[in-house]
Amino acid sequence: MASNEPARGAAPAPCLAVVGATGAVGRVVCELLSSRKNVWGEIRLIASARSAGRTLPVRGEQLTVRELAPEAFDGVDVALFDVPDDVAAEWVPIAVEHGVTVVDNSAAFRLDADVPLVVPEVNPERIRDRGKHIVANPNCTTLAMIVAIGALHREYGLRELIISTYQAASGAGQSGIDTLHDQVTKVSGDRTVGTRAGDVRRTVGDELGPFPAPLALNVVPWAGSLRDHGWSSEELKLRNESRKILGLPDLKVSATCVRVPVVTGHSVTVHAVFGAEVSADDAQEIIKQAPGVVLVDDPAEGEFPTPADAVGTDPTWAGRVRRALDDPRALDLFLVGDNLRKGAALNTVQIAELIAAEPH
């Protein structure tokens, strides 16, 4: 176990709170805190009243979860929030009032002009712009692509993105995972299911969980909630967050979000148009050298990224890099990332580590 005692004469290591520690992302945060370089002093685990009193392993110790309350933030320097949007909107300001710098994984503050939206591999300098003492973490689908796209933008100057996503069940939380497994169990006993219109729906029944249609043996062209003109909230997040992270307020973005029967790992197909002519070979080299990205791109040998390869890993996986047939300024590529790690927990932890490294 790494020591959390500061060196003699050194400033004490900052105190970290993990809010929402018992959730799917919170548990991954605890795993990361146990495996990454230890920069923290005390670590506090905080969750709702129903989870208070549970214990979780962190850095080789069993830590008891505290109930979310104002006094839980006394003495805390940095807090990672992974809670629903409405809970974050209520409790992040309370944490800030207690002198805490918050890294928030919800959508509550992402588009606030005074709250930086940070991906450490793309725009780490933005953490200094936290006048409200809040740094926002992007949506998991945005994070599946933005590290690789950010590297290409620095070289070529991005102008337009046309995106299709293939989002895992875990993006809808634990209920999404449970629903997928339950539906797979129901359809697995009959190999004729999926051969006639309506038979998957009849077999699955009314237990759709967080999805508007059966997910087993199916793809569902919807993720998020309904917004104006038929767009979903997930599609608009991709547009708005990409613009903010890259500092391109007029970037053209068109996205279609699709839910697929994968437990964990969001995939994205990207058609990216740049301001300069591109080369597939050069783009592959840029991606290969980009921090936080792994290139797997040899279709002749059947080598390209899939969610089954990316799950449980930290990087974005990239492949199928091609120059567009009809536009020498455009690239097509396929990207995959674990939506619970880089898509949520890891990026949050990385932001917090940047804050911890600042001079006190």
Side-chain angles (χ1 to χ4, degrees), residues 66-228:
R66 305 185 186 199
E67 181 178 351
L68 180 59
E71 58 270 20
F73 296 106
D74 291 342
V76 171
D77 297 294
V78 180
L80 310 183
F81 270 70
D82 186 74
V83 295
D85 296 354
D86 58 336
V87 178
E90 177 184 358
W91 282 94
V92 166
I94 294 172
V96 170
E97 288 174 0
H98 281 68
V100 179
T101 297
V102 171
V103 184
D104 181 42
N105 192 39
S106 81
F109 302 95
R110 285 178 187 150
L111 299 183
D112 187 318
D114 296 320
V115 174
L117 186 63
V118 173
V119 181
E121 296 89 345
V122 179
N123 61 345
E125 70 284 351
R126 288 301 313 281
I127 66 161
R128 297 192 294 268
D129 303 331
R130 54 182 194 275
K132 291 187 174 181
H133 303 285
I134 304 168
V135 180
N137 195 55
N139 175 265
C140 54
T141 317
T142 304
L143 280 164
M145 68 162 192
I146 203 67
V147 178
I149 294 301
L152 293 168
H153 166 58
R154 284 191 294 272
E155 180 68 23
Y156 296 120
L158 186 64
R159 296 291 182 269
E160 182 177 357
L161 290 172
I162 301 173
I163 305 161
S164 291
T165 73
Y166 307 86
Q167 296 178 218
S170 58
Q174 188 62 45
S175 63
I177 297 172
D178 293 340
T179 297
L180 176 59
H181 281 301
D182 290 345
Q183 291 181 359
V184 168
T185 298
K186 289 181 178 180
V187 302
S188 63
D190 184 350
R191 295 194 176 190
T192 68
V193 174
T195 63
R196 297 176 301 278
D199 61 355
V200 172
R201 289 184 182 272
R202 286 191 295 272
T203 303
V204 167
D206 296 330
E207 297 177 7
L208 300 178
F211 311 118
L215 191 58
L217 303 183
N218 205 15
V219 297
V220 180
W222 188 260
S225 53
L226 182 63
R227 295 293 187 263
D228 291 344

Side-chain angles (χ1 to χ4, degrees), residues 25 82 105 137 140 143 339-348:
V25 173
D82 186 74
N105 192 39
N137 195 55
C140 54
L143 280 164
N339 51 293
L340 299 181
R341 292 185 74 88
K342 182 57 178 176
L346 176 61
N347 202 74
T348 309

Side-chain angles (χ1 to χ4, degrees), residues 271 277-281 320-332:
H271 178 81
E277 188 168 333
V278 297
S279 155
D281 289 341
R320 300 298 319 281
V321 180
R322 297 148 286 156
R323 189 165 84 164
L325 294 175
D326 300 314
D327 187 345
R329 302 171 300 120
L331 287 170
D332 291 277

